[in-house]
Amino acid sequence: MTQATLSDLVLRIASAEPGALSHWMVSNDRYARRLSGSEIDVLAASALADGEFAAKALKIDHSPEGIAALASELGISVIEVDGEIDVAGHVFSADYRPNPPRIRLYTRALAAIDRGLADPRIAEIIGATRALPVLLAHEIYHHLDFVRPTTLTQRHRVTSLRLGPLHLKTELPSLAEVAAGRFAAALLGLHCHPRVLDLLLLWDGNPQRAEAWVEASGAFAPRLLQQETV
């Protein structure tokens, strides 16, 4: 039986500095293993800034209804489908496909997140009462990024393998996730990075797994917070 309540865990994630959580997200990218902590910090900060900039560049109604209207204006189809996708232990609640542009929202996952957000304290901590507009905004960023001449991950490719003078460059998918989350938070006025919604989804299916996820993600926060306050 888990010892922590869901609201306690949400508060721990939501209270982390954006740089700390983003550092953790990038550091867990399989292609970031050769990067130093300072290199990860720079990449995470760049991703956060990109998401913030993309949100500020949009002159739209930042309400949930405005986010849905934005998807329509951009020519993105929004489809709700049953279930969710579980890849290597990570459950996805939404995804974006570019050709043709479409966002799929997985109803079972949305319902699980909404059950967590039904707790007024959790909704207040996060700054959201429903999952759908948050996930929709997150995926809209991926569309805006895709249609640019050079995507965020293409601009920040890193060396993943060295063979003498040959350096193999690789993109870090985690950067787009950091940026998309910051984009959604800025558009909707969330109080934290929406990666916290993953916690609600995990908790709904397995509270012990959710608590372990928080313990893993929080391992980086104390060190980074100390660095930022120096």
Side-chain angles (χ1 to χ4, degrees):
M1 188 72 174
T2 184
Q3 298 300 308
T5 67
L6 177 56
S7 60
D8 289 338
L9 296 177
V10 168
L11 185 60
R12 285 181 60 184
I13 292 294
S15 298
E17 288 292 326
L21 182 57
S22 301
H23 178 106
W24 174 75
M25 291 172 65
V26 176
S27 68
N28 277 272
D29 195 307
R30 60 180 296 188
Y31 300 113
R33 295 171 184 170
R34 294 178 177 272
L35 300 177
S36 67
S38 60
E39 289 173 322
I40 291 174
D41 286 343
V42 170
L43 289 168
S46 296
L48 287 171
D50 191 76
E52 181 83 16
F53 177 82
K56 288 181 177 179
L58 292 175
K59 306 301 181 183
I60 64 165
D61 172 7
H62 290 189
S63 68
E65 295 75 18
I67 303 301
L70 174 61
S72 179
E73 291 171 10
L74 293 170
I76 306 171
S77 299
V78 179
I79 307 166
E80 293 191 20
V81 297
D82 187 35
E84 66 276 318
I85 294 178
D86 192 327
V87 179
H90 182 83
V91 180
F92 291 85
S93 46
D95 61 27
Y96 167 73
R97 293 291 181 270
N99 296 310
R102 65 192 185 280
I103 293 171
R104 294 185 297 184
L105 301 168
Y106 295 91
T107 56
R108 193 182 308 161
L110 264 66
I113 296 170
D114 282 346
R115 282 191 285 272
L117 291 172
D119 183 326
R121 185 182 179 209
I122 291 174
E124 174 61 26
I125 292 170
I126 297 174
T129 58
R130 294 179 60 223
L132 192 150
V134 180
L135 298 175
L136 191 56
H138 181 281
E139 301 305 326
I140 286 174
Y141 170 84
H142 289 308
H143 172 76
L144 296 174
D145 187 40
F146 178 79
V147 299
R148 291 190 285 191
T150 308
T151 67
L152 173 67
T153 57
Q154 289 170 344
R155 293 199 305 274
H156 295 284
R157 297 173 73 202
V158 301
T159 300
S160 58
L161 180 65
R162 292 184 177 91
L163 294 173
L166 178 64
H167 288 192
L168 177 64
K169 294 285 188 177
T170 306
E171 296 177 22
L172 298 178
S174 57
L175 296 182
E177 294 306 307
V178 170
R182 182 57 198 151
F183 175 84
L187 279 185
L188 294 168
L190 304 183
H191 302 154
C192 58
H193 193 286
R195 183 66 188 270
V196 72
L197 297 187
D198 285 0
L199 171 60
L200 305 186
L201 182 55
L202 287 172
W203 179 275
D204 191 78
N206 187 328
Q208 287 74 26
R209 182 181 173 190
E211 190 168 1
W213 184 83
V214 172
E215 291 299 328
S217 63
F220 298 93
R223 178 180 62 82
L224 290 174
L225 289 173
Q226 289 171 4
Q227 287 180 349
E228 291 173 2
T229 56
V230 172

